[in-house]
Amino acid sequence: MTSPDPLLVFDRATLRRRRERAARDWESHAFLKREIAGRLVERLDDVRRHFALALDLGSHGDEIAIALRDRRSVGDLIRSDLAERFARCAGGSAVVADEEHLPFAAAKFDLVLSAMSLHWVNDLPGTLIQIGRILKPDGLFLGALLGGGTLWQLRQAFAAAESEIDGGLSPRISPFADLRDAAGLLQRAGFALPVADSETIDVDYENALALMRDLSSMGESNLVVERRRQITRRATLLRAAELYGERFARPSGRVTASFEVLFLHGWAPHASQPKPLKPGSAAQRLADALGAPEQSAGEKVERS
């Protein structure tokens, strides 16, 4: 199946259904979201500001609110989620909202947090622009989303199994953003002082089939529009699990799954923020600061 719109990479209707289903037994599968939310909120400790009104975009089981519980840097927190069941289980004010079509007024929030939600957005630059719009001037955006290195082991195992048994490949693992593009996306969306970094979280599973079951229960399985719609052949599934175990098992016999997490940090522009100096406006010569003789651009410098 080919999408008529090249911007529609992910099947958002299926995502909503999977999130509704995942919410029924979320506590049993919330460990990854809980870990990522905790790491994201820790980054607020480096910001000496009080944020009166914040938004948790993609709240799931309230993991960000729980991580914020002992911190006084955030006042009121509004939760939003694509799934109604997740919004209903929130511990405070919550709305059902699509990350691709934010229903909030301009310049409403001092802080927007989002953990493990934006990697399913089709137009990430467009969503980042919307986030910038709902932030007050000098408001902060902190986001965490899965990156391109996520589940590379599963990708390799399925590619080998499908080549061997089916004679071809299908999109099995969703394409996510790379770190090298992340800060550029923030800049394109109009954020000031953009910063992006990544961390890898390795999770051990009994076997590859247990990993696949967990991804399904979390609502994090393949959502590529052009994925095969037929049920995966049993022989292909078992061969992929076998190859995964052969290639990525630990001495204990358990297998490792890697989740690359991209952390995004950007501010809504404000006149008080530091700005780069204009070329030629420096008050001190670089050569003086380095204690070295100054060389003009036309002189050849000999190596000692």
Side-chain angles (χ1 to χ4, degrees), residues 231-247:
I231 296 176
T232 303
R233 294 172 58 184
R234 178 179 174 82
T236 305
L237 191 66
L238 293 178
R239 181 56 177 154
E242 182 181 21
L243 289 169
Y244 201 115
E246 291 175 358
R247 298 181 180 185

PDB file of all heavy atoms in Angstrom, residues 231-247:
ATOM      1  N   ILE A 231      -0.775 -10.513   8.019  1.00  0.00           N
ATOM      2  CA  ILE A 231      -0.152 -11.017   9.243  1.00  0.00           C
ATOM      3  C   ILE A 231       1.188 -11.650   8.882  1.00  0.00           C
ATOM      4  O   ILE A 231       1.304 -12.378   7.900  1.00  0.00           O
ATOM      5  CB  ILE A 231      -1.066 -12.040   9.933  1.00  0.00           C
ATOM      6  CG1 ILE A 231      -2.364 -11.362  10.376  1.00  0.00           C
ATOM      7  CG2 ILE A 231      -0.362 -12.682  11.126  1.00  0.00           C
ATOM      8  CD1 ILE A 231      -3.378 -12.312  10.977  1.00  0.00           C
ATOM      9  N   THR A 232       2.216 -11.336   9.671  1.00  0.00           N
ATOM     10  CA  THR A 232       3.543 -11.902   9.417  1.00  0.00           C
ATOM     11  C   THR A 232       3.494 -13.426   9.474  1.00  0.00           C
ATOM     12  O   THR A 232       2.898 -14.012  10.384  1.00  0.00           O
ATOM     13  CB  THR A 232       4.541 -11.385  10.464  1.00  0.00           C
ATOM     14  OG1 THR A 232       4.558  -9.964  10.427  1.00  0.00           O
ATOM     15  CG2 THR A 232       5.939 -11.914  10.175  1.00  0.00           C
ATOM     16  N   ARG A 233       4.127 -14.042   8.498  1.00  0.00           N
ATOM     17  CA  ARG A 233       4.166 -15.503   8.475  1.00  0.00           C
ATOM     18  C   ARG A 233       4.871 -16.023   9.723  1.00  0.00           C
ATOM     19  O   ARG A 233       5.869 -15.457  10.175  1.00  0.00           O
ATOM     20  CB  ARG A 233       4.892 -15.977   7.215  1.00  0.00           C
ATOM     21  CG  ARG A 233       4.174 -15.665   5.926  1.00  0.00           C
ATOM     22  CD  ARG A 233       5.028 -15.993   4.723  1.00  0.00           C
ATOM     23  NE  ARG A 233       5.432 -17.407   4.711  1.00  0.00           N
ATOM     24  CZ  ARG A 233       6.249 -17.915   3.802  1.00  0.00           C
ATOM     25  NH1 ARG A 233       6.766 -17.132   2.848  1.00  0.00           N
ATOM     26  NH2 ARG A 233       6.566 -19.204   3.834  1.00  0.00           N
ATOM     27  N   ARG A 234       4.342 -17.107  10.264  1.00  0.00           N
ATOM     28  CA  ARG A 234       4.905 -17.681  11.485  1.00  0.00           C
ATOM     29  C   ARG A 234       6.376 -18.050  11.288  1.00  0.00           C
ATOM     30  O   ARG A 234       7.210 -17.804  12.168  1.00  0.00           O
ATOM     31  CB  ARG A 234       4.097 -18.917  11.884  1.00  0.00           C
ATOM     32  CG  ARG A 234       4.627 -19.637  13.116  1.00  0.00           C
ATOM     33  CD  ARG A 234       3.754 -20.841  13.459  1.00  0.00           C
ATOM     34  NE  ARG A 234       4.329 -21.610  14.553  1.00  0.00           N
ATOM     35  CZ  ARG A 234       4.180 -21.305  15.833  1.00  0.00           C
ATOM     36  NH1 ARG A 234       3.483 -20.247  16.187  1.00  0.00           N
ATOM     37  NH2 ARG A 234       4.726 -22.063  16.771  1.00  0.00           N
ATOM     38  N   ALA A 235       6.699 -18.592  10.114  1.00  0.00           N
ATOM     39  CA  ALA A 235       8.081 -19.001   9.858  1.00  0.00           C
ATOM     40  C   ALA A 235       9.011 -17.791   9.873  1.00  0.00           C
ATOM     41  O   ALA A 235      10.132 -17.867  10.395  1.00  0.00           O
ATOM     42  CB  ALA A 235       8.175 -19.725   8.514  1.00  0.00           C
ATOM     43  N   THR A 236       8.550 -16.672   9.314  1.00  0.00           N
ATOM     44  CA  THR A 236       9.367 -15.450   9.293  1.00  0.00           C
ATOM     45  C   THR A 236       9.567 -14.914  10.702  1.00  0.00           C
ATOM     46  O   THR A 236      10.672 -14.515  11.087  1.00  0.00           O
ATOM     47  CB  THR A 236       8.703 -14.382   8.416  1.00  0.00           C
ATOM     48  OG1 THR A 236       8.463 -14.919   7.111  1.00  0.00           O
ATOM     49  CG2 THR A 236       9.577 -13.143   8.308  1.00  0.00           C
ATOM     50  N   LEU A 237       8.485 -14.893  11.480  1.00  0.00           N
ATOM     51  CA  LEU A 237       8.554 -14.387  12.852  1.00  0.00           C
ATOM     52  C   LEU A 237       9.509 -15.217  13.700  1.00  0.00           C
ATOM     53  O   LEU A 237      10.367 -14.669  14.416  1.00  0.00           O
ATOM     54  CB  LEU A 237       7.149 -14.415  13.454  1.00  0.00           C
ATOM     55  CG  LEU A 237       6.958 -13.686  14.783  1.00  0.00           C
ATOM     56  CD1 LEU A 237       7.154 -12.199  14.615  1.00  0.00           C
ATOM     57  CD2 LEU A 237       5.569 -13.976  15.331  1.00  0.00           C
ATOM     58  N   LEU A 238       9.388 -16.524  13.604  1.00  0.00           N
ATOM     59  CA  LEU A 238      10.240 -17.394  14.410  1.00  0.00           C
ATOM     60  C   LEU A 238      11.701 -17.319  13.960  1.00  0.00           C
ATOM     61  O   LEU A 238      12.615 -17.382  14.788  1.00  0.00           O
ATOM     62  CB  LEU A 238       9.733 -18.837  14.327  1.00  0.00           C
ATOM     63  CG  LEU A 238       8.375 -19.099  14.982  1.00  0.00           C
ATOM     64  CD1 LEU A 238       7.962 -20.547  14.791  1.00  0.00           C
ATOM     65  CD2 LEU A 238       8.402 -18.742  16.469  1.00  0.00           C
ATOM     66  N   ARG A 239      11.924 -17.176  12.652  1.00  0.00           N
ATOM     67  CA  ARG A 239      13.292 -17.066  12.164  1.00  0.00           C
ATOM     68  C   ARG A 239      13.922 -15.750  12.619  1.00  0.00           C
ATOM     69  O   ARG A 239      15.103 -15.721  13.001  1.00  0.00           O
ATOM     70  CB  ARG A 239      13.317 -17.158  10.633  1.00  0.00           C
ATOM     71  CG  ARG A 239      14.714 -17.075  10.017  1.00  0.00           C
ATOM     72  CD  ARG A 239      15.640 -18.135  10.572  1.00  0.00           C
ATOM     73  NE  ARG A 239      16.951 -18.114   9.929  1.00  0.00           N
ATOM     74  CZ  ARG A 239      18.069 -18.543  10.491  1.00  0.00           C
ATOM     75  NH1 ARG A 239      18.041 -19.051  11.736  1.00  0.00           N
ATOM     76  NH2 ARG A 239      19.210 -18.496   9.839  1.00  0.00           N
ATOM     77  N   ALA A 240      13.139 -14.674  12.603  1.00  0.00           N
ATOM     78  CA  ALA A 240      13.655 -13.389  13.088  1.00  0.00           C
ATOM     79  C   ALA A 240      14.032 -13.492  14.563  1.00  0.00           C
ATOM     80  O   ALA A 240      15.087 -12.994  14.989  1.00  0.00           O
ATOM     81  CB  ALA A 240      12.621 -12.290  12.872  1.00  0.00           C
ATOM     82  N   ALA A 241      13.192 -14.147  15.354  1.00  0.00           N
ATOM     83  CA  ALA A 241      13.495 -14.325  16.775  1.00  0.00           C
ATOM     84  C   ALA A 241      14.738 -15.180  16.968  1.00  0.00           C
ATOM     85  O   ALA A 241      15.569 -14.914  17.855  1.00  0.00           O
ATOM     86  CB  ALA A 241      12.296 -14.956  17.480  1.00  0.00           C
ATOM     87  N   GLU A 242      14.882 -16.201  16.135  1.00  0.00           N
ATOM     88  CA  GLU A 242      16.051 -17.067  16.231  1.00  0.00           C
ATOM     89  C   GLU A 242      17.332 -16.296  15.898  1.00  0.00           C
ATOM     90  O   GLU A 242      18.346 -16.401  16.608  1.00  0.00           O
ATOM     91  CB  GLU A 242      15.883 -18.240  15.267  1.00  0.00           C
ATOM     92  CG  GLU A 242      17.031 -19.247  15.312  1.00  0.00           C
ATOM     93  CD  GLU A 242      16.840 -20.385  14.322  1.00  0.00           C
ATOM     94  OE1 GLU A 242      16.071 -20.215  13.354  1.00  0.00           O
ATOM     95  OE2 GLU A 242      17.457 -21.448  14.520  1.00  0.00           O
ATOM     96  N   LEU A 243      17.288 -15.503  14.818  1.00  0.00           N
ATOM     97  CA  LEU A 243      18.458 -14.722  14.422  1.00  0.00           C
ATOM     98  C   LEU A 243      18.795 -13.668  15.480  1.00  0.00           C
ATOM     99  O   LEU A 243      19.973 -13.397  15.750  1.00  0.00           O
ATOM    100  CB  LEU A 243      18.201 -14.049  13.072  1.00  0.00           C
ATOM    101  CG  LEU A 243      18.159 -14.983  11.862  1.00  0.00           C
ATOM    102  CD1 LEU A 243      17.632 -14.247  10.630  1.00  0.00           C
ATOM    103  CD2 LEU A 243      19.558 -15.540  11.578  1.00  0.00           C
ATOM    104  N   TYR A 244      17.773 -13.090  16.065  1.00  0.00           N
ATOM    105  CA  TYR A 244      17.987 -12.099  17.125  1.00  0.00           C
ATOM    106  C   TYR A 244      18.759 -12.743  18.281  1.00  0.00           C
ATOM    107  O   TYR A 244      19.721 -12.162  18.805  1.00  0.00           O
ATOM    108  CB  TYR A 244      16.633 -11.579  17.612  1.00  0.00           C
ATOM    109  CG  TYR A 244      16.676 -10.255  18.322  1.00  0.00           C
ATOM    110  CD1 TYR A 244      16.065  -9.124  17.790  1.00  0.00           C
ATOM    111  CD2 TYR A 244      17.325 -10.117  19.555  1.00  0.00           C
ATOM    112  CE1 TYR A 244      16.104  -7.908  18.447  1.00  0.00           C
ATOM    113  CE2 TYR A 244      17.360  -8.906  20.228  1.00  0.00           C
ATOM    114  CZ  TYR A 244      16.743  -7.809  19.661  1.00  0.00           C
ATOM    115  OH  TYR A 244      16.781  -6.600  20.314  1.00  0.00           O
ATOM    116  N   GLY A 245      18.333 -13.924  18.680  1.00  0.00           N
ATOM    117  CA  GLY A 245      19.015 -14.615  19.767  1.00  0.00           C
ATOM    118  C   GLY A 245      20.440 -14.991  19.429  1.00  0.00           C
ATOM    119  O   GLY A 245      21.342 -14.903  20.273  1.00  0.00           O
ATOM    120  N   GLU A 246      20.674 -15.413  18.192  1.00  0.00           N
ATOM    121  CA  GLU A 246      22.021 -15.797  17.774  1.00  0.00           C
ATOM    122  C   GLU A 246      22.974 -14.605  17.773  1.00  0.00           C
ATOM    123  O   GLU A 246      24.155 -14.735  18.129  1.00  0.00           O
ATOM    124  CB  GLU A 246      21.974 -16.414  16.374  1.00  0.00           C
ATOM    125  CG  GLU A 246      21.294 -17.767  16.313  1.00  0.00           C
ATOM    126  CD  GLU A 246      21.153 -18.278  14.885  1.00  0.00           C
ATOM    127  OE1 GLU A 246      21.567 -17.539  13.950  1.00  0.00           O
ATOM    128  OE2 GLU A 246      20.634 -19.395  14.697  1.00  0.00           O
ATOM    129  N   ARG A 247      22.476 -13.443  17.382  1.00  0.00           N
ATOM    130  CA  ARG A 247      23.346 -12.278  17.184  1.00  0.00           C
ATOM    131  C   ARG A 247      23.458 -11.373  18.408  1.00  0.00           C
ATOM    132  O   ARG A 247      24.484 -10.712  18.595  1.00  0.00           O
ATOM    133  CB  ARG A 247      22.837 -11.447  16.002  1.00  0.00           C
ATOM    134  CG  ARG A 247      22.850 -12.193  14.674  1.00  0.00           C
ATOM    135  CD  ARG A 247      22.348 -11.312  13.549  1.00  0.00           C
ATOM    136  NE  ARG A 247      22.349 -12.010  12.262  1.00  0.00           N
ATOM    137  CZ  ARG A 247      22.041 -11.432  11.097  1.00  0.00           C
ATOM    138  NH1 ARG A 247      21.689 -10.150  11.067  1.00  0.00           N
ATOM    139  NH2 ARG A 247      22.061 -12.136   9.977  1.00  0.00           N
TER     140      ARG A 247
END
